[in-house]
Amino acid sequence: MDRIVIKMKDLSIADLKAAYDFNARERKDLRKLLKAGGTTDYNSNGGYQELMVIQENIYNALENRISSIEMIW
Protein backbone atom coordinates (compact mmCIF):
# COMPACT_ATOMS: atom_id res chain seq x y z
CA MET A 1 0.00 0.00 0.00
CA ASP A 2 1.38 3.40 -0.97
CA ARG A 3 1.59 6.06 1.71
CA ILE A 4 0.62 9.62 0.99
CA VAL A 5 2.86 12.09 2.77
CA ILE A 6 1.51 15.56 3.42
CA LYS A 7 3.69 18.25 4.97
CA MET A 8 2.28 20.12 7.96
CA LYS A 9 2.96 23.44 6.24
CA ASP A 10 0.46 22.40 3.55
CA LEU A 11 -2.36 21.74 6.03
CA SER A 12 -5.04 24.22 7.00
CA ILE A 13 -5.67 25.16 10.62
CA ALA A 14 -8.75 22.91 10.55
CA ASP A 15 -6.66 20.01 9.22
CA LEU A 16 -4.06 20.52 11.94
CA LYS A 17 -6.77 20.63 14.62
CA ALA A 18 -8.29 17.43 13.25
CA ALA A 19 -4.85 15.78 13.31
CA TYR A 20 -4.31 17.00 16.88
CA ASP A 21 -7.68 15.58 17.96
CA PHE A 22 -6.97 12.28 16.19
CA ASN A 23 -3.60 12.05 17.92
CA ALA A 24 -5.26 12.72 21.29
CA ARG A 25 -7.68 9.87 20.64
CA GLU A 26 -4.83 7.55 19.64
CA ARG A 27 -2.93 8.41 22.85
CA LYS A 28 -6.05 7.78 24.95
CA ASP A 29 -6.67 4.42 23.28
CA LEU A 30 -3.03 3.40 23.71
CA ARG A 31 -3.09 4.39 27.40
CA LYS A 32 -6.16 2.15 27.90
CA LEU A 33 -4.45 -0.71 26.09
CA LEU A 34 -1.24 -0.31 28.11
CA LYS A 35 -3.18 -0.04 31.36
CA ALA A 36 -5.08 -3.22 30.52
CA GLY A 37 -1.72 -4.91 29.97
CA GLY A 38 -0.46 -3.78 33.37
CA THR A 39 1.71 -0.87 32.23
CA THR A 40 1.45 2.21 34.41
CA ASP A 41 4.41 4.18 32.98
CA TYR A 42 3.12 5.15 29.55
CA ASN A 43 6.18 7.29 28.82
CA SER A 44 8.40 4.21 28.75
CA ASN A 45 6.44 2.86 25.76
CA GLY A 46 7.99 3.67 22.37
CA GLY A 47 4.65 3.99 20.61
CA TYR A 48 3.35 6.39 23.23
CA GLN A 49 6.56 8.45 23.03
CA GLU A 50 6.13 8.69 19.27
CA LEU A 51 2.55 9.92 19.68
CA MET A 52 3.77 12.54 22.15
CA VAL A 53 6.37 13.82 19.67
CA ILE A 54 3.70 14.00 16.97
CA GLN A 55 1.41 15.85 19.39
CA GLU A 56 4.10 18.42 20.13
CA ASN A 57 4.88 18.92 16.45
CA ILE A 58 1.21 19.40 15.55
CA TYR A 59 0.70 21.76 18.50
CA ASN A 60 3.71 23.85 17.48
CA ALA A 61 2.48 24.02 13.89
CA LEU A 62 -0.97 25.12 15.12
CA GLU A 63 0.51 27.68 17.49
CA ASN A 64 2.71 29.15 14.75
CA ARG A 65 -0.15 29.29 12.28
CA ILE A 66 -2.57 30.87 14.74
CA SER A 67 -0.08 33.38 16.11
CA SER A 68 0.62 34.56 12.57
CA ILE A 69 -3.02 35.57 12.03
CA GLU A 70 -3.19 39.33 11.75
CA MET A 71 -6.11 40.91 13.50
CA ILE A 72 -7.32 43.99 11.66
CA TRP A 73 -9.96 46.04 13.47
Side-chain angles (χ1 to χ4, degrees):
M1 177 187 235
D2 292 331
R3 285 182 57 183
I4 298 173
V5 178
I6 300 172
K7 296 180 181 180
M8 277 199 263
K9 68 180 180 113
D10 296 332
L11 297 175
S12 69
I13 290 172
D15 292 334
L16 288 169
K17 176 65 169 101
Y20 187 86
D21 291 345
F22 180 80
N23 177 272
R25 181 61 185 206
E26 289 290 304
R27 287 189 334 268
K28 183 179 178 181
D29 290 347
L30 182 54
R31 279 193 306 267
K32 283 183 184 178
L33 183 65
L34 292 171
K35 187 176 181 179
T39 301
T40 56
D41 182 15
Y42 311 122
N43 292 319
S44 66
N45 179 276
Y48 192 78
Q49 289 176 356
E50 185 176 332
L51 288 173
M52 292 301 293
V53 169
I54 292 169
Q55 174 200 16
E56 186 171 337
N57 289 336
I58 295 170
Y59 181 84
N60 288 337
L62 266 170
E63 184 177 47
N64 290 338
R65 194 76 57 84
I66 291 170
S67 66
S68 68
I69 295 173
E70 183 178 342
M71 301 298 279
I72 300 175
W73 303 94

